[in-house]
Amino acid sequence: DDDDGKISLKKGDFEKMQILGQFNLGFILAKTPENHVFIIDQHASDEKYNFEKLVAETVMHEQPLIAPMPLELSLADESCVLDNMEI
């Protein structure tokens, strides 16, 4: 506990919490061993868990960039491309 009344939690602290109950079909009441009671958004917690699991398990495969190829355009086609290209 800090002097300003704020409580800091680490991820491991959630494992030590005792579930007191659920209300409003989406919130969990949980108590720490120090008897601090928290209201936890069940849906946000689930999203956070799923995101962290996805980040930990996802393997990114690099894909090489394609090499540019020159185009042979008529003057009219080149003019059309240049008129509609954002530079």
Side-chain angles (χ1 to χ4, degrees), residues 25-52:
L25 298 175
F27 296 95
I28 298 170
L29 287 174
K31 180 176 78 168
T32 67
E34 296 81 21
N35 288 323
H36 299 290
V37 176
F38 287 88
I39 300 173
I40 302 168
D41 184 323
Q42 184 174 348
H43 301 291
S45 298
D46 185 54
E47 289 295 322
K48 177 77 171 165
Y49 171 82
N50 290 332
F51 174 75
E52 289 183 1

Side-chain angles (χ1 to χ4, degrees), residues 73-83:
L73 300 174
S74 68
L75 288 176
D77 289 339
E78 183 178 352
S79 178
C80 181
V81 169
L82 291 174
D83 287 345

